[in-house]
């Protein structure tokens, strides 16, 4: 398994359900919830959580388990940082302190103290609903780099968990990142892959003509 950053120094990860409370809700979360890991420079890395919809759902808590992260520098939402979505309002420290259903992950997910954030009351309306995002910016330890973060996500030394509420049936689900880039490719990556496919097709046509 290999994690490779795009030229824009951003990596998109999808999530895998670990709670299995409801099959439809679990599938919806896996299809529409993502985190983009971004090189923020100056010894920082950003995690942009976003919900593409359309199924009603709300990321209400986010959790990180260790790695080379030093601590949360800021939250970019309705009242923290700059440029946050008005419908998203989070504070550091989640309740519960660990991801619900954490023991269902392999190995069990253990959130690092202080490496969590929780949507403010009322939790579901202030979470990350369809079309919204939350950015969590971390400081990195010492000489650690963005490349180190990617390596840790690849190896599982760093994992990201989310607790999601607001499904139509009132249920909730927990998810952990898949650990590799199988999310939504960015525009540049999509264009590159399309171009390579077209070149390969053209080469095949030429061989057939001969």
């Amino acid at each position: 398994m290999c994690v490779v950053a795009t030229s824009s120094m951003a990596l998109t990860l999808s999530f895998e359900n670990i709670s299995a409370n409801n099959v439809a809700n679990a599938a919806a979360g896996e299809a529409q919830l993502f985190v983009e890991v971004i090189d923020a420079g100056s010894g920082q890395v950003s995690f942009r959580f976003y919900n593409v919809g359309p199924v009603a759902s709300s990321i209400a808590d986010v959790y990180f388990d260790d790695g080379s992260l030093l601590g949360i520098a800021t939250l970019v939402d309705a009242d923290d940082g700059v440029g946050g979505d008005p419908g998203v309002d989070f504070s550091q420290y989640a309740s519960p302190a660990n991801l619900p259903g954490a023991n269902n992950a392999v190995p069990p997910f253990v959130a690092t103290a202080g490496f969590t954030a929780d949507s403010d009351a009322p939790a579901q309306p202030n979470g990350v609903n369809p079309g919204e995002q939350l950015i969590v910016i971390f400081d990195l330890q010492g000489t650690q780099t963005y490349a180190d973060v990617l390596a840790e996500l690849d190896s599982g030394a760093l994992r990201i968990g989310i607790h999601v509420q607001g499904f139509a049936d009132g249920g909730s689900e927990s998810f952990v990142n898949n650990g590799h880039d199988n999310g939504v490719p960015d525009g540049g990556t999509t264009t590159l892959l399309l171009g390579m496919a077209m070149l390969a097709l053209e080469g095949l046509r030429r061989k057939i003509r001969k």
Side-chain angles (χ1 to χ4, degrees), residues 22 24-26 28 32 54-58 124 129-130 164-173:
N22 178 283
N25 293 345
Q32 68 186 48
V55 175
S57 55
S58 178
Q124 183 271 316
N129 290 277
V164 183
Q165 302 178 13
F167 290 104
D169 66 349
S172 65
E173 297 287 344

Side-chain angles (χ1 to χ4, degrees), residues 88-137:
V88 180
D89 196 5
F90 275 69
S91 297
Q92 190 176 355
Y93 304 110
S95 179
N98 197 22
L99 178 67
N103 288 334
N104 294 333
V106 180
F109 188 99
V110 181
T112 302
F115 287 16
T116 65
D118 198 341
S119 57
D120 296 338
Q124 183 271 316
N126 285 327
V128 182
N129 290 277
E132 296 179 339
Q133 67 175 7
L134 165 72
I135 299 175
V136 182
I137 301 177

Side-chain angles (χ1 to χ4, degrees), residues 17-105:
N17 180 263
I18 63 168
S19 48
N21 296 322
N22 178 283
V23 173
N25 293 345
E30 291 181 348
Q32 68 186 48
L33 303 175
F34 301 91
V35 60
E36 185 179 34
V37 188
I38 305 164
D39 183 1
S42 301
Q44 292 185 324
V45 60
S46 296
F47 297 86
R48 183 175 76 93
F49 297 86
Y50 63 100
N51 184 342
V52 301
V55 175
S57 55
S58 178
I59 301 174
D61 306 90
V62 299
Y63 301 86
F64 298 80
D65 69 347
D66 214 1
S68 58
L69 306 176
L70 177 62
I72 294 177
T74 189
L75 303 173
V76 181
D77 59 2
D79 60 1
D80 300 287
V82 178
D85 283 345
V88 180
D89 196 5
F90 275 69
S91 297
Q92 190 176 355
Y93 304 110
S95 179
N98 197 22
L99 178 67
N103 288 334
N104 294 333

